[in-house]
Amino acid sequence: MVEPAQDIDAYLDNHYIHRSNWLRAAVLGANDGILSTSSLAIGVATASDLRSPVVLATLAGLVAGALSMAAGEYVSVSSQTDVEKADILREKQELRDMPEAELQMLATIYEKRGLKKETAMTVARELTEKNALEAHVRDELGINPMNRARPIQAALASGAAFTSGGILPLLVTIFAPMSYMEYMLYGFAIFFLMLLGALAAKTGGSDMIKAIVRITFWGTIAMGLTALAGYLFGVNV
């Protein structure tokens, strides 16, 4: 039995929701790295009998993809941070201009969550006395300080995740025999995606079979369409 005073922090840390943000970013980045570079390599391999164009295209796709992921994540998270900062500044102004209205709004929020009207007002007053801005940021704006956006951290994590996924098909293009390159790229990519899906499901506490089937299905479609494009163009590189 968990002792409330001693083990509550460790107990709560076991909940899967605490892993959702970093798990989503890591799985998305690694999945894109595997799928994008594998699809690109397959597309070039179907139109070329030489190894060097395939390796070069895969390496270029890996570098470009990692930088694109990092830049995109940085811009996206920076925009989120700007919105959060603007809302917090506005909330500060509202607390200065109309504190009673803000107090009533906070009480209404707690009342809608199931507290009695008198209890909700008592809670709102006590939290306002302790730290009014923190209470409104958390409960009115829905911004949790523990999950605040960090653009640089998000960019580095996304770029690293993409690279870790993309380097796997790059190794295949370097060492696999050219006569079976497309098939080995597909086979290894699916294998890597299945491992990623299983790892993500295990870490997130979700259904492993469902995750593997989902990631294998969409991976096959993406690589299949890219291979088809290579065959249709029929360009000898």
Side-chain angles (χ1 to χ4, degrees), residues 140-164:
E140 183 183 344
L141 303 182
I143 300 174
N144 189 332
M146 294 179 63
N147 297 326
R148 290 290 298 276
R150 297 177 179 85
I152 294 179
Q153 183 185 58
L156 292 175
S158 293
F162 187 98
T163 301
S164 66

Side-chain angles (χ1 to χ4, degrees), residues 80-211:
Q80 179 184 341
T81 302
D82 292 342
V83 171
E84 289 178 355
K85 288 179 178 178
D87 273 344
I88 290 173
L89 287 175
R90 180 178 177 181
E91 195 62 36
K92 285 181 179 179
Q93 186 64 44
E94 290 176 347
L95 285 169
R96 285 194 295 265
D97 295 345
M98 44 185 184
E100 287 301 320
E102 288 295 303
L103 176 64
Q104 183 58 53
M105 181 179 295
L106 199 60
T108 301
I109 291 172
Y110 299 142
E111 189 175 349
K112 288 180 178 179
R113 290 180 182 176
L115 295 181
K116 294 181 179 179
K117 188 170 184 177
E118 298 79 9
T119 306
M121 179 56 73
T122 300
V123 172
R125 288 188 185 280
E126 291 184 2
L127 290 177
T128 298
E129 291 173 1
K130 181 181 179 181
N131 191 324
L133 181 61
E134 181 182 287
H136 282 272
V137 167
R138 182 184 61 248
D139 295 322
E140 183 183 344
L141 303 182
I143 300 174
N144 189 332
M146 294 179 63
N147 297 326
R148 290 290 298 276
R150 297 177 179 85
I152 294 179
Q153 183 185 58
L156 292 175
S158 293
F162 187 98
T163 301
S164 66
I167 202 169
L168 298 173
L170 176 61
L171 292 174
V172 175
T173 64
I174 294 174
F175 296 108
M178 282 302 300
S179 55
Y180 303 103
M181 179 66 75
E182 304 99 305
Y183 306 105
M184 293 196 73
L185 278 167
Y186 171 76
F188 275 102
I190 290 298
F191 176 69
F192 296 146
L193 288 172
M194 290 174 67
L195 286 180
L196 180 63
L199 179 62
K202 179 69 175 178
T203 307
S206 57
D207 185 89
M208 191 175 297
I209 299 299
K210 183 178 180 180

Side-chain angles (χ1 to χ4, degrees), residues 8 22 24 39 44 59 66 106-107 154 204 215 235:
I8 187 65
W22 66 263
R24 179 197 63 82
S39 297
V44 177
L59 180 60
L106 199 60
I215 203 167
V235 178

